[in-house]
Each structure stands twice: as structure tokens, then as C-alpha cells.
Amino acid sequence: MQFSREIALLKLLADDNRQLMASRVLARELDFQQLLDFLERHELSQYFAHKLDALQLGKLFPAGFRERLRWQGEAQAQQRTALASALRELHSVFAAAGVEIVLTKGLYLADQYWGGVANRFTWDIDVLVKARDVDRAVQSLQQCGYRSVHTRPFAAALVRRFSHAMEFTRLGTAVDLHWIFRPRPGHRVDYNAVWERCGYWQFDGLQYRVLSPQDTLLMLLLGIAQDVERAQPNYRKLWDIYLLLGSEVVADWDAFFHLAGQQGVDRLAIAMLSFTCHALDCQSAFPALDRALQQHSGRTHCSAQQLQKLLERPPKHPANRLFIAGLQPVSAAYYLAWWTLTAPMRYLVWR
């Protein structure tokens, strides 16, 4: 299993298993440089450092290891301060323009599931707006100094047609403006229902609308599917899902899969949950989900061997794309034709 030791340590920390974690470190079972490389590459350093501090285990690690975590934490703290300030400003700007927004991922996800906004690597602000409000949202961002990164000719039009979000930046602060989760043929996500299911989050004295836990999970799974398709899985995104599952955000998996089926993404959701559980070796941690996945396994044919290959293939391997194509609500041939025809447009806007 790829990164099995590193993942095992993360799970011990998530479970607050201080004794076993300490015994692993004291037994010299760890390659500290390899662990640090993994944490940095997959943007998990802040979480690891937070849990070490909470369990008072930091002194068991080499000084250089701790210093590297501290340096990364300080850099992320500066970014987080800038994001929090920008979020407060955007709350006012969008409200003045009459544009409703829903926060997704980022600071909200960190606060709700990672134990605090300081514990999850976050580099941008993700907001979802209604499709009819995209133009006004873009104007609002531009009026307060944000500029689209899509500066190539016709890029904005291509983004609207073939992507799910536009990225804007201002003085190092990035905003991802979403109007859908992912653009894929046959996907039928009911965004009116998504908005109706939204909840609210209090942060920095203000109230923000946020996705429901179930819609948050679905959005993350669709994002993982795109990473798997590119053969570039990111363990921070997988850890997002792990922490959501640990919070029991889905009480009825049959109902979750039924709703996903109505939206044309049930097979994809089942496969990506199976992939996440395999990559993190956490099937036993979520018995209700494991039972549900076994009941639905015939719909995706995700064997352990198949899932391991998805993890091990080099970036952009065509076999991963074929696998994802076979999970779509349209035929694999139709999906691959769509992907091929739209690839040049997506390349032009870096999506």
C-alpha cells in the first residue's frame, strides 16, 4: 500500500491514540525525511503539527522536523489571515450586489472537520453562486480589484462553457468562483435542491451559507474523480473525505446513493468512496459504509487490485481515464469523445 506508514500515523493522530503513536516513534520505525516529504507534498503538515501539539508528542521528533513544521505553519498563518480578511470583504461586496454565495471547502471545511481553521492547508476562497448570478459576481470581484487569471483570448467564454469555476487573484489572494460542481456529460445535479439543503456557519462574527454535509461530500468525491482520472490523487483531499466520514455526515448510505443516482453520479460516488477507503486503508473504521459499498460493489467492479492500480499509475495514464469513463451515466465512448473534443478548450483555461 502506497504511503502505508504515513497514513497509519495520521489515523493514530486522528484517533488521539497517544500511546501507540509514541511507541511507533520510540521504536524508530519512522523515516522522518520520508514522512516530512509526504506531509509537505500532500499539504498535511498543519494537521500533523496540530495533532502532535494536542497530544504533546512533538519532543519525540527531531528538532529539524519540528522546525520545518513550524516554518510551514507560520507561512500558512499569514495566508490564512489574508484569506479571512478577504472573506469578510467579499461577504459585504456580494451582499451589496445582491449575489448569494455558498462557501465550499477551505476555511469552513477546516473549522468544521479538521479541528480548526489553522489545521488545514488552504490557499484560496471557494464560493458557489447561482448560474444566473455569475456575471454580477464577476463584476463584484473586478470592482474590488480582483482579476481573472484566464487572460488568453476568449478564455472567459471557454471557462463558462467547459469548466466549473473561474479563478481570480488580487495581491496573492485567490478566489475560485464556482457555479457547478463539475461539468460532465450526463451529470444532473439539482442545484436548486443543493441551495435548499444549505446550512450556515459562523466565522469571525459573520454568518455564511455553506453546503450541507452530504453535498460537501459529493462535491469532494467528484473532485477526487477528476484527480484519479489524471492519475494524480492528493491525500489532503482524501483526508477531507476521511474526516467527513468520521463525523458521520451520512446517516443513510442507501438514501445517499439513491440521490446520487437521480443526479447521474451514483456509480462515480461509490467508486470514489471505495478508492478513498482503499487508499487510506480505513474500511474497518466505517462499518456502515463498508457494508453499503459491498452491497453496491457489482455496479462498479472496483476490486482491490483495480483500486491499487489507480493509485500506482503515473500521471495522465490513459487507463485511469478509461476507468473513470466507464463510471459515467453516458457510454464510455461518448464520454471519451466529449473529453477529447473539449480537451483543447480546457487546456487553454488550465482546467
Side-chain angles (χ1 to χ4, degrees):
M1 183 73 67
Q2 194 176 33
F3 304 124
S4 58
R5 289 189 177 183
E6 291 78 9
I7 294 301
L9 292 178
L10 281 173
K11 289 190 292 185
L12 288 177
L13 291 175
D15 292 340
D16 294 325
N17 196 329
R18 186 177 188 275
Q19 183 175 357
L20 189 52
M21 181 71 180
S23 67
R24 292 279 179 88
V25 179
L26 293 173
R28 297 294 185 264
E29 296 179 4
L30 307 184
D31 182 326
F32 291 110
Q33 187 57 52
Q34 181 174 310
L35 174 60
L36 190 59
D37 290 344
F38 168 78
L39 294 174
E40 292 182 356
R41 176 182 171 188
H42 293 280
E43 302 163 340
L44 289 161
S45 300
Q46 283 74 53
Y47 181 79
F48 198 89
H50 158 70
K51 296 299 290 188
L52 285 186
D53 288 344
L55 298 177
Q56 299 181 335
L57 291 171
K59 291 184 178 180
L60 298 181
F61 287 76
F65 185 97
R66 300 197 308 269
E67 179 62 20
R68 185 70 181 178
L69 292 184
R70 185 191 65 79
W71 178 82
Q72 291 186 13
E74 290 178 353
Q76 180 64 192
Q78 295 178 6
Q79 178 71 6
R80 188 171 58 254
T81 298
L83 290 175
S85 176
L87 183 58
R88 172 174 279 273
E89 178 188 19
L90 291 176
H91 181 277
S92 175
V93 168
F94 283 129
V99 176
E100 294 181 279
I101 64 171
V102 174
L103 291 186
T104 69
K105 302 182 290 185
L107 297 173
Y108 158 68
L109 207 60
D111 184 58
Q112 292 295 99
Y113 301 104
W114 290 65
V117 295
N119 303 331
R120 181 185 184 271
F121 177 89
T122 303
W123 77 278
D124 65 359
I125 297 170
D126 288 275
V127 298
L128 177 73
V129 300
K130 296 177 180 178
R132 66 172 186 250
D133 290 336
V134 172
D135 288 336
R136 279 192 295 158
V138 169
Q139 292 171 5
S140 298
L141 286 168
Q142 291 173 336
Q143 286 170 4
C144 50
Y146 287 90
R147 294 293 176 262
S148 171
V149 303
H150 310 295
T151 57
R152 303 179 186 185
F154 311 113
L158 290 175
V159 170
R160 294 281 294 274
R161 178 64 180 84
F162 296 105
S163 188
H164 61 286
M166 297 178 70
E167 184 180 342
F168 295 82
T169 60
R170 184 189 69 180
L171 301 175
T173 299
V175 176
D176 245 14
L177 182 71
H178 299 247
W179 49 94
I180 57 175
F181 292 167
R182 299 282 162 173
R184 293 293 185 270
H187 289 198
R188 304 181 299 274
V189 176
D190 183 347
Y191 289 100
N192 289 329
V194 167
W195 280 78
E196 289 175 1
R197 289 191 292 266
C198 283
Y200 292 91
W201 174 56
Q202 296 283 343
F203 177 67
D204 196 22
L206 296 174
Q207 179 173 265
Y208 297 91
R209 184 176 288 182
V210 294
L211 290 177
S212 71
Q214 293 86 353
D215 288 322
T216 296
L217 177 59
L218 180 61
M219 185 179 191
L220 293 173
L221 290 172
L222 296 180
I224 289 292
Q226 182 165 311
D227 290 348
V228 170
E229 185 174 33
R230 295 169 174 170
Q232 294 178 305
N234 179 288
Y235 278 83
R236 192 236 323 144
K237 297 179 183 179
L238 294 172
W239 202 247
D240 280 335
I241 296 174
Y242 180 86
L243 294 176
L244 259 73
L245 295 177
S247 297
E248 299 181 347
V249 296
V250 176
D252 185 340
W253 284 106
D254 287 335
F256 179 83
F257 292 145
H258 177 72
L259 178 59
Q262 292 178 330
Q263 300 178 100
V265 295
D266 52 332
R267 296 179 68 225
L268 202 58
I270 292 166
M272 292 305 99
L273 283 165
S274 297
F275 175 81
T276 301
C277 288
H278 176 81
L280 301 179
D281 191 22
C282 62
Q283 295 89 337
S284 62
F286 310 115
L289 172 59
D290 189 45
R291 288 193 297 271
L293 290 176
Q294 290 182 32
Q295 291 172 1
H296 294 279
S297 61
R299 300 165 67 184
T300 59
H301 306 290
C302 294
S303 67
Q305 294 79 7
Q306 174 90 63
L307 296 171
Q308 187 60 28
K309 288 178 181 178
L310 294 177
L311 274 174
E312 294 175 344
R313 290 182 182 125
K316 299 183 180 180
H317 196 288
N320 276 32
R321 182 157 293 118
L322 286 171
F323 176 81
I324 294 297
L327 298 171
Q328 302 297 329
V330 296
S331 70
Y334 183 96
Y335 179 78
L336 291 172
W338 170 87
W339 189 93
T340 302
L341 290 172
T342 60
M345 282 72 81
R346 286 183 283 108
Y347 171 78
L348 285 173
V349 297
W350 309 306
R351 289 285 179 177

